[in-house]
Amino acid sequence: MMRRYINVLKTFSLALLAMAFSACEDTDTPRISSDTQGPQITWPLKDNYVLTVTNADETFETFEWEAVNYGVVSPVSYKVQVAEKGTDFETVEEVASTTDTKVEVSNSMMNDAVGKLGLAPFEAHEVEMRVISTLGNNGGGVISSTVADTEITPYALIVTWYVPGPFNFWAEGNEWSHNDLDVIKAEDGQNFRGYLYLVNKDGTTPSDFKISTAKGWELGINYGAGDAAGTLSDDGGAANITAPEAAYYLLTVNSADLTYNLLKTDFAIIGAATPGGWDNDTPLTFNPDSRMWEGTYAMKGGEEWKIRANGSWDDPNPNYGQGSEDGMLSLGGDNLVSPAEDGMYEIKVNLDDPEALKYTIEKVN
């Protein structure tokens, strides 16, 4: 990758730097004269960059510059920043920071910064970039480089694929629909997972399905069964994938090698708060109407518990604990804690959104 050289600052005349240190809290922060000339840079960025999951670890650019001379002996820090073009850096994201005079920025680092700006994935966006230098422990004496612009197409941090089939009959009676609940998702754009109730309308026979990369047959790639078991094919004439039996499944897909796995899952609660303690599962029942795993049991107050599948802690069977906030679950998370009072509680577990798994526990009068 061709190195990009940034002339952050050439030479500062000491006459242009009126440094004054206050006698109180900001003794590390210089005051710089308003006559100080900002950095004049040459920034030969490419006209556009297309960021993808597959090139995420590759180098976006290696930025290098000459050290800023503030005229005093004090730590100097540098930050590479990005903003949407035309916003005058009112909303800015930091791409990288260093005390060195160069920094390597990967595509994933740039994608993360652009994503935090709220710029939509898979669309080209005009952005502006700059380097700022700061002096001292309090980050004073900010000097900004001139601004360079380019065009960046980011990728989605979470990618959604759709799973149409006859089991979609619940969606306004529309079998084979591309809907927002029968989906699989990937945080890394490659390893997808999601829960599906693969049961036909008769309630007893297993459903077949296909996997689509977009919300519609004509908008993306549609995968069917490959020649070998557990593989996918993008051939338009490929056969449908069929569930082994009518049941609730965890579907996982690796988009890099086009493989998939269906894990039949039955969920239960377990732990000191539950009727079976840590030695025995207390089963939950899947309700097709609510699309939730449900159960009402006598729970001990203020005790720990978890939700797990197939009576096992071992992979690939998932178990869920406390998520990032109340009512949220995370895979393999810390133990949940029951409400303070003993009593009968109704528990509901909603696994429709692979990236926002939820539960409720409410006392029954």
Side-chain angles (χ1 to χ4, degrees), residues 54-136:
T54 55
N55 69 20
D57 294 332
E58 296 178 10
T59 300
F60 178 85
E61 295 292 352
T62 297
F63 302 112
E64 188 170 340
W65 53 88
E66 295 179 7
V68 174
N69 179 10
Y70 279 96
V72 294
V73 178
S74 184
V76 177
S77 301
Y78 304 93
K79 295 179 180 179
V80 179
Q81 297 181 330
V82 63
E84 189 171 10
K85 187 173 182 179
T87 62
D88 197 28
F89 286 88
E90 289 185 2
T91 301
V92 64
E93 286 296 332
E94 180 182 313
V95 182
S97 63
T98 182
T99 56
D100 199 357
T101 55
K102 66 178 180 179
V103 64
E104 182 178 290
V105 173
S106 68
N107 286 333
S108 63
M109 293 167 64
M110 183 60 67
N111 191 78
D112 183 56
V114 172
K116 289 178 180 177
L117 287 174
L119 304 183
F122 311 119
E123 298 178 11
H125 300 277
E126 292 184 325
V127 300
E128 295 177 325
M129 299 185 67
R130 69 182 181 185
V131 170
I132 65 169
S133 62
T134 57
L135 179 65

Side-chain angles (χ1 to χ4, degrees), residues 170-182:
W170 64 269
E172 298 181 358
N174 184 11
E175 296 183 1
W176 291 100
S177 69
H178 292 74
N179 65 81
D180 292 327
L181 294 181
D182 294 319

Side-chain angles (χ1 to χ4, degrees), residues 2 75 252 342:
M2 184 171 62
T252 54
D342 291 357

